[in-house]
Amino acid sequence: MLEEGFEGPEKRLEVEFELDSHRHHHHHTHHHHCTTDTSLTDIADASPAFLGMRTFSRDQWQSLLALTGCTILNVSRNDHWDAYLLSESSLFVAPTRVILKTCGRTLPLCGLDLLIDFAKEVGLHVRRLIYLRKNYTFPTAQKYPHRDFSEEASFLRERYPQGRSYEFGPQCTDHWLAFAAGTGPSAGGDQYLLLEIKMHELDNRVMRRFLHPEGATAVEATVCSGIQALLPDMRIDPYLFEPCGYSMNGLQDAAYSTIHITPEPHCSYVSYEALLVPQDTPPQFLAALIRSVLETFRPASFTCATVSSAELPLRSVIRAGLPFSFYENCEFERVYSCSSTLDCGLHMATEMVALLPCFPSESRLPAAVAQSTRRLRAVAQHSARAGIRTLPAGCTIVAPFSSLSLIMGTPEGAADYPPGMCLDRIHSSLVSGFVQGMPESDLVSVV
């Protein structure tokens, strides 16, 4: 059993709005700095000074965040975004887009109804909603409506009955969960690219910079850790927590990056997220960015996800960006990859990678790799207790079975998933099937 710790993996709620047709000519304006979001909704043609969701003050956003269990620490702005640094992660607000990303035991879905009320006040309605998260490290510590994904999906489906839930990756190891609702691409076409990298079991030599040694500042931690060099053109707003932990928001024109760090050795975790401008982000740039992030934080395992308006070759991007190893006698193994087109019109792809010993008999593992093995086995044990033994459709197992059994503790049914397995997309009707357990032959990706 894992020692209890802070829940680093975040819950991410993104809502994109568009202008109500009858309010098109009666919107708020501002004469200083605000421009439209790059989401290419109908609002983009309404006015270059449309304020939209940026109408609301810090105090108003704090009233919403109080429902989720978060507090605003600081805010930074540019022509495209208001970026709020929170006690638990981040809030990004553009005229027609709001992104709330929170960690720990926070309840971001509890702020959704008030968020929609805010939008109505400025003549907006929901065009597209995406809720996204990785599996929890400590799943039994969460509260309603976030105790498991079936509960989250039910909460969202009550409000958006046409929405669909998605699994990316086998539940017996690190995986992603998503709920998407809304329309497909707009007439003018979407321009959207989200990159998420969730890293576990980080190098202690990197993490100790965020354990807040006496006299250290957030700016010093940003520079000494390599984060400033990783994002040289971004205006960074950093925060160093007491007694440990770190968060930052970075803005550069229409793009942003955010990093959140849980440095304790028994539950070390780093998330890197970037919302990028697709036409400025060729695959070579994305591969170089992924490599730089991994070399900065040196994880023993990570999962990467992209959500994009155009299909992205994530497998080849990661292959090009993957460092060889951070430890002697260990190599990165790509465990699985999968992708699907969400019903809201965007494409999502994920891949999991773990550092594994070059020789299965290796008895002296680096501490981070040993901790990674313990955590991943705990994930497998939790899924086994829940009766989950299915592999989502469209998921390709790419690791050799010997590697799979090492990191998963040979979970029951794993032998049914040979290397190179790729399944057709199959639909199921109930989210509860994931929790109650499905027959091995019922391989589910979409519900």
Side-chain angles (χ1 to χ4, degrees):
M1 175 176 276
L2 289 179
E3 177 186 351
E4 281 294 316
F6 185 77
E7 185 65 66
E10 302 92 346
K11 315 166 185 86
R12 184 184 190 275
L13 175 66
E14 176 171 348
V15 186
E16 181 185 342
F17 300 95
E18 60 187 355
L19 198 63
D20 289 335
S21 57
H22 68 281
R23 292 285 298 271
H24 194 279
H25 298 293
H26 302 279
H27 52 261
H28 296 260
T29 58
H30 192 277
H31 64 277
H32 286 304
H33 63 279
C34 294
T35 62
T36 62
D37 180 20
T38 57
S39 55
L40 298 185
T41 66
D42 291 342
I43 281 183
D45 298 322
S47 167
F50 181 78
L51 198 55
M53 299 304 287
R54 298 181 77 177
T55 299
F56 301 101
S57 67
R58 174 173 174 157
D59 287 345
Q60 288 171 301
W61 286 114
Q62 181 55 62
S63 69
L64 183 149
L65 292 167
L67 302 175
T68 73
C70 297
T71 302
I72 296 173
L73 303 175
N74 198 23
V75 60
S76 56
R77 295 183 170 88
N78 71 0
D79 285 348
H80 299 267
W81 297 99
D82 298 332
Y84 294 88
L85 204 59
L86 308 181
S87 54
E88 286 84 5
S89 303
S90 298
L91 168 70
F92 292 90
V93 181
T96 61
R97 193 186 302 274
V98 173
I99 297 159
L100 176 59
K101 181 183 185 118
T102 68
C103 57
R105 300 180 186 180
T106 51
L107 311 170
L109 293 184
C110 290
L112 177 58
D113 292 342
L114 184 55
L115 177 65
I116 303 309
D117 288 342
F118 278 10
K120 290 176 181 176
E121 288 187 34
V122 291
L124 297 173
H125 67 267
V126 174
R127 175 174 180 259
R128 181 159 57 200
L129 177 149
I130 301 175
Y131 176 72
L132 179 67
R133 69 170 174 85
K134 179 189 166 293
N135 59 291
Y136 299 128
T137 304
F138 307 104
T140 60
Q142 297 296 314
K143 302 175 184 178
Y144 176 85
H146 293 283
R147 290 175 294 191
D148 58 50
F149 186 57
S150 66
E151 188 170 76
E152 293 168 318
S154 295
F155 182 96
L156 288 164
R157 192 170 284 114
E158 287 176 4
R159 292 152 177 80
Y160 301 96
Q162 302 306 312
R164 286 202 167 173
S165 307
Y166 301 79
E167 272 188 353
F168 290 84
Q171 289 202 12
C172 54
T173 189
D174 282 342
H175 57 278
W176 291 77
L177 302 159
F179 180 94
T183 61
S186 60
D190 281 309
Q191 292 294 319
Y192 185 90
L193 176 55
L194 170 69
L195 170 67
E196 289 252 34
I197 308 175
K198 310 287 194 185
M199 296 166 275
H200 285 275
E201 292 83 45
L202 291 305
D203 190 323
N204 284 337
R205 291 171 294 181
V206 179
M207 291 297 96
R208 65 176 175 231
R209 299 191 182 278
F210 307 104
L211 292 171
H212 210 171
E214 188 173 350
T217 67
V219 172
E220 289 170 344
T222 302
V223 173
C224 294
S225 64
I227 292 174
Q228 184 70 60
L230 175 66
L231 305 167
D233 299 321
M234 287 218 158
R235 184 159 59 88
I236 293 176
D237 179 20
Y239 195 92
L240 199 57
F241 291 87
E242 291 278 7
C244 62
Y246 173 92
S247 289
M248 62 75 67
N249 291 333
L251 297 176
Q252 182 184 357
D253 300 325
Y256 74 68
S257 289
T258 184
I259 295 173
H260 303 284
I261 298 177
T262 301
E264 296 95 320
H266 70 285
C267 60
S268 64
Y269 167 84
V270 174
S271 72
Y272 172 80
E273 173 184 322
L275 193 65
L276 302 162
V277 179
Q279 56 265 37
D280 297 338
T281 314
Q284 311 91 281
F285 175 89
L286 208 55
L289 176 58
I290 291 171
R291 178 184 286 268
S292 296
V293 170
L294 297 176
E295 290 179 340
T296 297
F297 297 107
R298 300 168 58 90
S301 66
F302 71 93
T303 59
C304 185
T306 57
V307 182
S308 55
S309 47
E311 288 193 63
L312 189 73
L314 182 62
R315 290 181 66 179
S316 59
V317 165
I318 289 181
R319 189 181 301 115
L322 195 61
F324 177 70
S325 178
F326 302 129
Y327 302 100
E328 187 177 358
N329 294 325
C330 290
E331 291 182 359
F332 276 116
E333 287 273 16
R334 296 166 57 245
V335 179
Y336 71 79
S337 63
C338 50
S339 62
S340 182
T341 300
L342 307 179
D343 279 15
C344 65
L346 297 177
H347 306 276
M348 182 167 171
T350 69
E351 181 152 320
M352 178 187 171
V353 180
L355 270 175
L356 299 172
C358 298
F359 308 102
S361 60
E362 183 71 37
S363 58
R364 299 185 63 186
L365 295 176
V369 178
Q371 175 66 16
S372 177
T373 300
R374 288 192 293 272
R375 183 185 61 79
L376 291 169
R377 285 181 175 171
V379 173
Q381 290 163 3
H382 175 75
S383 68
R385 285 194 297 270
I388 301 166
R389 296 167 57 188
T390 64
L391 183 71
C395 177
T396 304
I397 299 294
V398 294
F401 176 69
S402 59
S403 301
L404 203 63
S405 63
L406 176 67
I407 63 171
M408 296 182 189
T410 319
E412 186 178 4
D416 297 332
Y417 311 150
M421 182 182 208
C422 188
L423 305 167
D424 291 332
R425 176 169 164 165
I426 301 171
H427 293 257
S428 179
S429 59
L430 293 174
V431 143
S432 59
F434 290 141
V435 177
Q436 295 171 357
M438 307 284 288
E440 287 184 6
S441 60
D442 195 358
L443 304 172
V444 180
S445 65
V446 185
V447 296

